[in-house]
Amino acid sequence: MSILISVRGDMTLAEARQAIFETLNQIEDEFAVRYTRNLNLFINPTDEVGDKVVVRNRLGGEVRRVTKKGAYRSAADEYSI
């Protein structure tokens, strides 16, 4: 089973980050969800007036996917200190 998180409207990435943070806190508090396996987040990049933009890397190639292994874990977390 998956839970869809939908955040609507034009916003900065900082505002989107805060909205996602608040929604995850709500899911954790209200529904007692503590863990998840994998996470997919789709963003629709725009400029300041809401027009679509194409995200490009340093070489000019179009960026369609960014994959991360997960959150950074400190040494204290790794070794249960």
Side-chain angles (χ1 to χ4, degrees):
M1 182 183 131
S2 297
I3 299 172
L4 173 65
I5 297 172
S6 182
V7 180
R8 300 281 181 208
D10 294 335
M11 64 197 87
T12 66
L13 283 184
E15 293 167 336
R17 182 183 314 113
Q18 184 62 35
I20 293 166
F21 177 77
E22 290 172 6
T23 304
L24 290 174
N25 280 337
Q26 177 186 1
I27 291 169
E28 187 175 33
D29 293 344
E30 289 184 24
F31 309 117
V33 174
R34 299 290 179 257
Y35 303 94
T36 185
R37 178 180 310 147
N38 299 327
L39 174 73
N40 296 306
L41 173 68
F42 294 87
I43 64 170
N44 300 300
T46 62
D47 61 15
E48 62 276 359
V49 295
D51 294 332
K52 292 180 183 180
V53 296
V54 176
V55 179
R56 298 192 180 278
N57 62 23
R58 282 185 243 156
L59 301 175
E62 190 173 335
V63 176
R64 294 182 150 270
R65 178 183 296 246
V66 176
T67 303
K68 296 292 181 189
K69 187 175 179 183
Y72 168 79
R73 290 180 51 107
S74 69
D77 288 338
E78 284 292 323
Y79 298 104
S80 300
I81 297 175

